[in-house]
């Protein structure tokens, strides 16, 4: 099996993913000219830049024209466009967006393991895995690409922005598929650590729910009486030591006894552990979506959500050897 994967990756090694390579940690944007009349390239790009929700204040018409002057606006075949080029409907255009200023996340990414193929890190809370919406440069992918100089560094899976813990990235484009498919096929053992109010849960308790999340809605929900599509096993629950409990009670403004939950998800639905904790035990400390959606502008770096991926285990798709990565100790952000 490993030999077949290596052969497959070798054949795909020179596959071109786009006419503009990642630059300074960021990939190029692809945009398609809509139906209608042909449009000058500068008008099309300026419309995209000027109407984006999170725009850098210095991204003016002159800055757009500078992109054209530098050959930074191209067609799918790599042909550089001029500002005056008429673009027909359906034309794909590639260019680099300019990220808006972002509030720096005051936590570092730490390396857990690295070899020639993969990088495993401990991602802190408040950093998205990949660029999205208003979080572009303050993401694990962009930070790590800039720190390492490796523009091909790519996550094999995703952690929610609020979730911390183990994140595996591939170091070369040709390896992405093998590791991403490993996670997609659910062939990776995972364990998460949660801190929440103490709730009596018998050991090895399985949680089954039907979870659904609509695009654009921040919260997932449980569908009663529907066929379960998610499963998590509670591996253990233990009350926190008194000193740690008192410190977290004061910081998070709670009075309930607090516990550490070890959760082993066997499926990967969006917000699965967050919803199941709310449904079956107690909301996770610092969760700003469950049970109540809180405004984004009130986010406080001193009270991160206490949900952390502490274990990744799998059979390596390249070598067939067993791999296991584990975190222990306290959250670096606490």
């Amino acid at each position: 099996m490993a030999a077949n994967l290596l052969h497959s990756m070798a054949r795909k090694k020179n596959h071109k993913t786009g006419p503009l390579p990642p630059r300074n940690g960021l990939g190029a944007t692809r945009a398609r000219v809509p139906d209608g009349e042909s449009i000058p390239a500068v008008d099309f790009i300026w419309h995209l830049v000027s109407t984006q929700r999170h725009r850098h204040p210095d991204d003016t018409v002159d800055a757009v024209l500078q992109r054209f002057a530098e050959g930074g606006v191209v067609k799918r075949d790599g042909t550089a466009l001029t500002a005056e080029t008429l673009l027909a409907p359906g034309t794909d255009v590639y260019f680099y967006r300019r990220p808006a200023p972002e509030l720096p996340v005051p936590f570092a990414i730490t390396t857990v393991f690295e070899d020639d193929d993969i990088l495993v890190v401990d991602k802190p809370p408040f950093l998205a895995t990949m660029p999205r919406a208003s979080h572009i440069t303050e993401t694990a992918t962009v930070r790590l690409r800039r720190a390492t100089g490796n523009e091909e560094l790519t996550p094999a899976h995703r952690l929610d922005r609020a979730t911390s813990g183990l994140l595996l990235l591939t170091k070369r484009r040709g390896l992405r598929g093998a590791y991403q498919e490993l996670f997609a096929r659910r062939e990776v053992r995972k364990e998460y650590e949660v801190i929440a109010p103490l709730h009596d849960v018998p050991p090895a308790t399985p949680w089954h729910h039907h979870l659904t999340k609509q695009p654009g809605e921040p919260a997932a929900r449980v569908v009663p009486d529907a066929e379960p599509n998610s499963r998590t096993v509670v591996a253990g629950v233990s009350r926190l030591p008194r000193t740690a409990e008192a410190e977290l009670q004061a910081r998070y403004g709670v009075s309930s006894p607090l516990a550490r939950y070890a959760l082993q998800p066997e499926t990967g639905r969006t917000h699965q552990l967050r919803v199941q904790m709310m449904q079956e035990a107690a909301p996770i400390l610092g969760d700003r979506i469950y049970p109540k959606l809180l405004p984004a502008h009130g986010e406080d770096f001193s009270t991160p959500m206490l949900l952390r991926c502490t274990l990744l285990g799998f059979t390596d798709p390249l070598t067939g050897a067993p791999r296991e990565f584990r975190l222990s100790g306290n959250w670096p952000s606490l």
Side-chain angles (χ1 to χ4, degrees), residues 179 182-190 265 311-314:
Y179 287 93
L182 194 69
F183 282 87
R185 293 194 302 265
R186 301 174 185 168
E187 295 176 0
V188 179
R189 291 181 294 107
K190 301 177 184 179
L311 171 70
L312 293 176
F314 55 89

Side-chain angles (χ1 to χ4, degrees), residues 130 141 145 151-156 168-171 176 180:
M130 295 284 287
T141 300
R145 284 178 175 176
E151 299 285 9
E152 294 190 11
L153 202 60
T154 303
L168 186 151
L169 303 96
T170 59
K171 299 177 74 171
R176 292 176 188 173
Q180 288 175 345

Side-chain angles (χ1 to χ4, degrees), residues 15 20 29 33 42 61 101 103 117 156 193 196 209 218-219 223 227-228 297 313 326-327 329-330:
H15 177 68
L20 291 176
T29 291
V33 179
V42 66
V61 172
L103 183 65
D117 301 322
E193 187 175 274
H209 301 88
V223 180
E227 182 73 20
H297 60 76
R326 186 183 292 272
L327 292 177
N330 295 323

Side-chain angles (χ1 to χ4, degrees), residues 283-302:
I284 301 169
L285 287 191
D287 196 327
R288 298 184 60 81
I289 296 180
Y290 307 97
K292 180 181 179 182
L293 179 63
L294 300 176
H297 60 76
E299 193 171 68
D300 185 348
F301 290 138
S302 70

Side-chain angles (χ1 to χ4, degrees), residues 154-173:
T154 303
H157 59 117
R158 186 178 68 88
L159 290 177
D160 288 342
R161 179 173 175 269
T163 303
S164 57
L166 292 170
L167 179 68
L168 186 151
L169 303 96
T170 59
K171 299 177 74 171
R172 299 191 303 283
R173 183 178 294 114

Side-chain angles (χ1 to χ4, degrees), residues 70-149:
E70 295 173 349
V73 184
V74 304
K75 294 168 63 176
R76 180 183 289 275
D77 63 3
T79 302
L81 300 172
T82 67
E84 298 79 17
T85 302
L86 280 179
L87 300 176
T91 302
D92 285 333
V93 180
Y94 296 76
F95 70 102
Y96 296 108
R97 291 189 183 270
R98 186 172 185 177
E102 298 175 43
L103 183 65
V105 174
F107 306 127
I109 303 172
T110 57
T111 297
V112 174
F113 173 85
E114 182 175 10
D115 63 14
D116 291 340
D117 301 322
I118 63 173
L119 173 66
V120 181
V121 300
D122 184 359
K123 182 190 85 68
F126 303 106
L127 275 185
T129 299
M130 295 284 287
R132 183 181 180 188
S134 62
H135 306 294
I136 306 299
T137 58
E138 287 300 294
T139 59
T141 300
V142 174
R143 271 202 190 181
L144 288 167
R145 284 178 175 176
R146 291 178 174 181
T148 63

